[in-house]
Amino acid sequence: YAAHALYHLIGPAIAFAALGTAGLAAMFSAALHGPALAGLGLAGALATPLLVQSGAHDAWPVVIYVAIVTAASYGLARLRAWLWLAFTGAAGAILWGLILSLSGTESAHANYVYIVIQTALASLVFVFDRRIIAPEQEAKLDLVSTLGPLAFGCLTAVVLFRGALYGAFDLDWMLSGAAVVAIFSVTGVLALPAAGVIAGAGVLVLAILWIWPGDATAPEGAKFAQDVLRIWFTPLEPTRFYVFATLGPGLVAWLSGITLYRGPNLPSPIALIYAGAATLTPLAALALAYLRLTHSDASLPFGAIAGLLAVAFLLAAIAFRQRLFEAMSAALHLGLGVMASAALAALALGIVFVLDRGMLTVALALAAFGAAIVESRLSIPALRWVVAGLGLVVASRLAYEPRIVGADLGATPIFNWLLFGYGVPAAAFGLAARVMRRASGEDLPVQIAQALSVIFSALLFFFQIRHALNGGDPYAKSSGLIEQGLFATTSLGFSLALTRLDTMRASPLFHLALLAFGVLSALVTIFGLGLSENPYFSGEAIEGGRFFNAILLSYGLPAVL
């Protein structure tokens, strides 16, 4: 280094080679002299490209050099059983990938090749070289085998995002992402302890579909920065986008499904990972492609694709059912239930794609009800949590836009999107809770479904009252005597109904809910009817006639209840 940087006796090429050789020599000498020298040699070898200054802006020598250094550290780690050295080498490789990604388009294509090489090395070292030969039924998930390759999946997402951000988007961009997905998929099915890697492949496919560069034209209503939320922009090279959106999820789903089908003795955690990768990846990829290409508009072609995907899941469920007759096993039983539920979910997506965007909450709620029916027939505990998860997704969607379809509600009382968007989910989760409770008793997923049914029912009444009494605007800032009276009546009605249900079932959820509605009715009565909208204090004119008027509606009905 001194000969190059201080005295200028040798050029950058010779200094680069000499420094790298010194670092590698120190690392291999550690096989005799101990781990301290290995760490020193690895640090020096990885720092070499930073020490040598060159006028040429070429990243390929760095890519090849760091790959050699990383491979050498992996080899020494295997020779001396120093796992820490392998982790250190992987961390250095990730750091260099991030450094290369910061240099813009100059090193983008070299970095695309770099992430593929490093991912392959990590899979070889952390998965296949550590694979424990054991019977299928005794396989256990290994944290090192899973997290080692997945760290490079995160690096891949960062590198591809930076490349898309700075315009280095071409066929190499797509092929490098596809190569990493393929490496993860093959790794996850060949090594059972690293089953989580194929789930990472599915997540990476979705990440690539998300960050795929789009054109500069944002649809109306897109308020987020183009660099961050690219899902609102039509993807560039749509043909390649179609190909990747088909082959990427298809590879993950096919390999995961085949592995689950051929592994009747797989332990439950591993079987669950394969089942999730086989179903969630294509469903989520289809939803992302729909959002990016149609911007939530109705689309018959996407509805047809969802129908074909539902048929594919149905055929898979039939295959699992036939295999289950040959060999009874928990893994095949899980596969049957998950495939059947995925078929219902695909049909629900098809409804969303074909009809108005407000159908999303309805479709997801119906999919949850379908999963509850499948769970009750096949007794698959994992599906109970699918029902709960879908319920939380529906709740999040309604929290994001409580009016379902935004300002397009119209002014028609009762028979509007509120009735459909809240009523169907309320009924669906109520029936799902009942079905699951009859099948396997009351547990947390059942209580979540019950809570969602109660909440959606209450919100239905609340927003319908607001909508009807404020000219179709649930967000109106004004209120009145009749509105407060209907709120009190509704709260008391829910409290009475929940009291009856609690008496019949002795459910802790119903007991807490009836107390909550009782307190709510008291607050509305005291502050709304007693103070804020009390005509005695406000001096407002009473709507209606002498007997049938706002007072009878606002005070009489709550008094009776």
Side-chain angles (χ1 to χ4, degrees), residues 3-310:
H4 165 68
L6 301 182
Y7 302 107
H8 307 290
L9 298 177
I10 57 177
I14 297 177
F16 184 83
L19 283 168
T21 302
L24 291 172
M27 199 187 317
F28 284 115
S29 298
L32 296 176
H33 299 291
L37 194 58
L40 180 63
L42 179 60
L46 290 174
T48 291
L50 297 176
L51 298 177
V52 177
Q53 301 296 325
S54 174
H57 298 284
D58 188 3
W60 286 104
V62 177
V63 169
I64 298 172
Y65 171 78
V66 175
I68 294 173
V69 171
T70 306
S73 68
Y74 290 158
L76 181 59
R78 185 184 186 280
L79 181 65
R80 294 298 304 269
W82 290 338
L83 185 59
W84 66 268
L85 185 61
F87 276 123
T88 305
I94 292 173
L95 184 59
W96 265 111
L98 295 176
I99 292 174
L100 291 174
S101 68
L102 294 176
S103 58
T105 59
E106 296 178 351
S107 60
H109 292 83
N111 208 9
Y112 296 157
V113 176
Y114 178 83
I115 57 177
V116 176
I117 295 174
Q118 292 294 344
T119 301
L121 287 174
S123 298
L124 180 64
V125 171
F126 292 110
V127 179
F128 297 109
D129 197 46
R130 301 183 72 256
R131 184 168 52 179
I132 301 173
I133 304 300
E136 181 180 280
Q137 61 271 20
E138 297 180 8
K140 295 181 179 180
L141 292 174
D142 183 67
L143 193 62
V144 173
S145 299
T146 303
L147 295 183
L150 289 184
F152 288 90
C154 297
L155 175 65
T156 300
V158 172
V159 170
L160 294 180
F161 178 73
R162 296 282 300 182
L165 196 62
Y166 290 102
F169 172 74
D170 52 16
L171 184 60
D172 293 345
W173 188 94
M174 187 187 79
L175 291 178
S176 61
V180 174
V181 170
I183 292 171
F184 277 2
S185 300
V186 173
T187 300
V189 298
L190 293 182
L192 296 182
V197 175
I198 199 168
V203 174
L204 183 59
V205 166
L206 301 180
I208 293 174
L209 292 177
W210 182 282
I211 65 178
W212 193 289
D215 59 26
T217 305
E220 185 177 356
K223 300 179 181 179
F224 295 94
Q226 177 180 354
D227 293 343
V228 177
L229 193 56
R230 293 179 171 269
I231 196 171
W232 296 109
F233 302 91
T234 303
L236 298 173
E237 299 289 348
T239 302
R240 294 176 182 174
F241 184 84
Y242 293 139
V243 172
F244 185 86
T246 302
L247 297 182
L251 177 66
V252 174
W254 181 70
L255 289 178
S256 300
I258 287 295
T259 305
L260 182 62
Y261 181 80
R262 294 178 177 176
N265 298 319
L266 287 174
S268 295
I270 296 178
L272 187 59
I273 290 175
Y274 287 131
T279 54
L280 295 179
T281 302
L283 289 172
L286 181 60
L288 271 176
Y290 166 77
L291 289 174
R292 294 214 58 178
L293 293 167
T294 68
H295 307 305
S296 300
D297 294 332
S299 173
L300 287 177
F302 269 97
I305 294 173
L308 292 175
L309 186 59

Side-chain angles (χ1 to χ4, degrees), residues 439-503:
S440 304
E442 188 164 329
D443 55 5
L444 184 58
V446 171
Q447 292 176 357
I448 291 175
Q450 290 173 342
L452 291 172
S453 180
V454 172
I455 291 172
F456 292 152
S457 299
L459 290 175
L460 171 62
F461 278 86
F462 173 79
F463 280 112
Q464 286 284 22
I465 292 171
R466 293 285 298 161
H467 177 272
L469 298 180
N470 292 280
D473 182 13
Y475 289 169
K477 297 181 179 180
S478 61
S479 185
L481 178 62
I482 295 178
E483 184 173 322
Q484 294 298 319
L486 291 177
F487 285 157
T489 300
T490 301
S491 300
L492 289 166
F494 269 91
S495 185
L496 286 171
L498 290 167
T499 300
R500 177 66 175 170
L501 289 174
D502 183 50
T503 303

Side-chain angles (χ1 to χ4, degrees), residues 361-399:
T361 54
V362 175
L364 292 175
L366 293 177
F369 180 46
I373 294 177
V374 173
E375 193 282 329
S376 67
R377 296 294 181 87
L378 301 178
S379 299
I380 301 176
L383 289 183
R384 301 170 77 86
W385 292 100
V386 171
V387 175
L390 287 172
L392 296 178
V393 172
V394 173
S396 300
R397 164 66 178 83
L398 293 176

Side-chain angles (χ1 to χ4, degrees), residues 480-535:
L481 178 62
I482 295 178
E483 184 173 322
Q484 294 298 319
L486 291 177
F487 285 157
T489 300
T490 301
S491 300
L492 289 166
F494 269 91
S495 185
L496 286 171
L498 290 167
T499 300
R500 177 66 175 170
L501 289 174
D502 183 50
T503 303
M504 295 169 59
R505 298 184 182 178
S507 169
L509 185 280
F510 289 148
H511 185 70
L512 291 175
L514 74 88
L515 292 176
F517 278 105
V519 172
L520 180 62
S521 64
L523 294 175
V524 173
T525 302
I526 294 171
F527 294 101
L529 296 176
L531 298 175
S532 176
E533 301 300 331
N534 190 334

